[in-house]
Amino acid sequence: MLHLRCQICGEETFDRSDERHLWLVAGSEPLQEGEESWSPPVHESCAAEAVRYCPHLRKSHVAALVDAPMFWGVAGLVYDPETLEPLPGEDGDGLTHVSFADPQLRWTVAARVIVTLHGCTPVALDDLVAAAV
């Protein structure tokens, strides 16, 4: 994620002439301005493979071209500074989203990097995949 590498092939996703990145996430609602994501971007040529092999994308997914992914923070286990016990997580996998500016960051063991997505343009994934082939 730190180098915006494709979640399938691992190569950088800076190959588009419009300098945008393709984001593919589970769900049915279009990506919104400023939405958080821990999923890395994907190449158009790798998107079909992502949908085929990623269980969380198989049910439903949405795609968007993103102008500016901004590094926001991490998802991780936050520990209580007094007891050193882990605090309950905020999302389904027990992790808490903590921004880089949050004082809790120093008590967080990060599991994922989180970006916010800006300049999101929803796209039809089938059209992009067909054009990439």
Side-chain angles (χ1 to χ4, degrees), residues 55-68:
H56 66 284
L57 296 175
R58 242 181 261 145
K59 290 182 191 175
S60 67
H61 55 273
V62 293
L65 289 173
V66 175
D67 292 337

Side-chain angles (χ1 to χ4, degrees), residues 2 11 15 19 27 31 35 41 73 98 105 116 121 124 128-129 132-133:
L2 290 175
E11 296 297 320
D15 55 350
E19 298 182 7
L31 290 171
E35 188 165 333
V98 181
L105 185 64
T116 54
T121 305
L128 279 179
V129 169
V133 176

Side-chain angles (χ1 to χ4, degrees), residues 10-89:
E11 296 297 320
E12 288 184 346
T13 58
F14 292 95
D15 55 350
R16 290 184 55 88
S17 61
D18 61 6
E19 298 182 7
R20 300 191 303 174
H21 301 274
L22 177 62
W23 241 266
L24 181 60
V25 298
S28 57
E29 296 295 319
L31 290 171
Q32 300 297 315
E33 182 67 21
E35 188 165 333
E36 293 178 4
S37 177
W38 54 265
S39 297
V42 64
H43 291 116
E44 286 90 343
S45 58
C46 296
E49 190 173 347
V51 171
R52 187 171 33 253
Y53 294 112
C54 297
H56 66 284
L57 296 175
R58 242 181 261 145
K59 290 182 191 175
S60 67
H61 55 273
V62 293
L65 289 173
V66 175
D67 292 337
M70 308 289 273
F71 291 94
W72 177 85
V74 297
L77 294 174
V78 178
Y79 286 82
D80 184 297
E82 293 180 18
T83 66
L84 302 181
E85 293 293 322
L87 299 172

Side-chain angles (χ1 to χ4, degrees), residues 93-105:
D93 56 5
L95 303 178
T96 299
H97 294 194
V98 181
S99 82
F100 290 132
D102 190 322
Q104 280 190 314
L105 185 64

